[in-house]
């Protein structure tokens, strides 16, 4: 009888992982448009602000504020790692990849997080990969390789296109977010998903704000153009709900199950890019094929 609750929890975890992918996929479109007028570092900072407001009210209503304890050194370090990997380093690298490759191509490349999440889960959490997991990993790699092969010789290139920089930033995002699966799973052992989302984003906003104040010159550039700000705020709202859905999924299922479905954002991004911003993204059948290969690989890993 105990098997049925486990299956239900896994099904709910998969559902929230897919919701996360859809929201995150759509958010990349707003990010793409905002980056025409601003830098990745500024974009990452302003996208965090609406998330803080939204999650604060959620935590206040559920009574999660009284559970927060950041003064234990080990907890402070864990939250910091969660913030840096999920939001700071990971988000800035993502934005750089989006600016250099376009939203659809960058979204496919960062699916490499799935490979690194499986690797870290095996090495650090003791989760055992199967033949199906290994096969799925190879398919994901093949899809990313296809993007690289086609992307290096695009006939029509999006604005600010820089293949090498975009690929390096995309793969680096994959490594960072692959490790983020692990530290986030650890944080969820102490907090519920909503509270964990809130404290992670607050820490990330503080760190990102310090970085922006130190690095952005002249200071007047810290405030981006109004149009760019609107796009980043919209992206931040979608991302906050996406991150909450991601933590719910991780709280209900193991990394090796959640990671594949949390990596379906490339498909949603490619579809929305094709429908709404085709003139600046140049999404073609080859890119859709690469997305499908990545998704098939994700399914192989899930059933493994």
């Amino acid at each position: 009888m105990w098997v049925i609750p486990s299956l239900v929890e896994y099904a709910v975890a998969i559902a929230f992982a897919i919701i996360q992918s859809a929201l995150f996929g759509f958010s990349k479109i707003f990010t793409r448009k905002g980056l025409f007028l601003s830098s990745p570092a500024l974009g990452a900072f302003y996208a965090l602000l609406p998330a803080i407001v939204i999650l604060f009210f959620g935590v206040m209503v559920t009574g999660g504020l009284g559970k927060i304890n950041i003064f234990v050194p080990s907890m402070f370090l864990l939250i910091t790692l969660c913030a840096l990997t999920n939001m700071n380093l990971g988000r800035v690298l993502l934005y750089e990849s989006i600016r250099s490759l376009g939203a659809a191509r960058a979204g496919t490349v960062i699916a490499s997080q799935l490979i690194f999440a499986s690797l870290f889960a095996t090495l650090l959490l003791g989760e055992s990969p199967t033949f199906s997991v290994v096969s799925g990993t190879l398919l994901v790699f093949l899809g990313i390789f296809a993007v690289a092969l086609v992307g290096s010789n695009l006939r029509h290139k999006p604005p600010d296109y820089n293949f090498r920089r975009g690929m390096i930033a995309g793969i680096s995002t994959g490594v960072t977010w692959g490790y983020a699966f692990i530290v986030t799973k650890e944080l969820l052992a102490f907090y519920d998903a909503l509270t964990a989302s809130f404290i992670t984003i607050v820490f990330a906003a503080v760190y990102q704000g310090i970085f922006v104040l130190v690095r952005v010159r002249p200071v007047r550039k810290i405030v981006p153009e109004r149009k760019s700000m609107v796009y980043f705020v919209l992206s931040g709202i979608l991302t906050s709900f996406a991150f909450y859905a991601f933590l719910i999924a991780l709280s209900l299922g193991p990394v090796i199950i959640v990671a594949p479905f949390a990596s379906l954002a490339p498909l949603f991004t490619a579809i929305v890019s094709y429908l709404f911003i085709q003139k600046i993204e140049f999404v073609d059948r080859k890119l859709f094929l690469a997305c499908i290969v990545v998704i098939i690989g994700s399914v192989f890993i899930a059933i493994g």
Side-chain angles (χ1 to χ4, degrees), residues 89-140:
L89 181 59
R91 189 72 65 86
V92 171
L93 288 170
L94 167 68
Y95 283 14
E96 184 58 57
S97 185
I98 290 175
R99 184 169 70 171
S100 300
L101 293 179
R105 288 174 180 81
T108 304
V109 173
I110 66 168
S112 59
Q113 66 178 298
L114 182 58
I115 298 174
F116 296 108
S118 298
L119 178 62
F120 288 131
T122 300
L123 295 177
L124 302 178
L125 299 183
E127 297 183 6
S128 302
T130 63
F131 175 77
S132 179
V133 170
V134 174
S135 300
T137 299
L138 292 175
L139 284 173
V140 171

Side-chain angles (χ1 to χ4, degrees), residues 35-94:
L35 287 172
F36 282 123
L37 302 170
S38 188
S39 69
L42 275 176
F45 174 68
Y46 283 105
L48 289 170
L49 299 183
I52 292 176
V53 176
I54 292 170
L55 294 174
F56 172 76
F57 284 106
V59 172
M60 186 171 61
V61 169
T62 59
L65 286 176
K67 303 175 185 177
I68 297 175
N69 181 12
I70 63 173
F71 299 106
V72 178
S74 59
M75 181 58 63
F76 187 90
L77 177 61
L78 180 60
I79 298 171
T80 294
L81 282 174
C82 198
L84 292 177
T85 53
N86 278 295
M87 299 294 169
N88 297 112
L89 181 59
R91 189 72 65 86
V92 171
L93 288 170
L94 167 68

Side-chain angles (χ1 to χ4, degrees), residues 1 6 10-11 83 100 104 111 129 150 196 203 234 248 258 281-282 288:
M1 295 296 293
S6 296
Y10 281 12
S100 300
V150 175
F203 268 57
L234 290 173
I248 292 177
V258 171
E281 283 289 303
F282 304 109
F288 271 112

Side-chain angles (χ1 to χ4, degrees), residues 1-10:
M1 295 296 293
W2 60 270
V3 176
I4 295 177
S6 296
L7 291 177
V8 171
E9 285 186 355
Y10 281 12

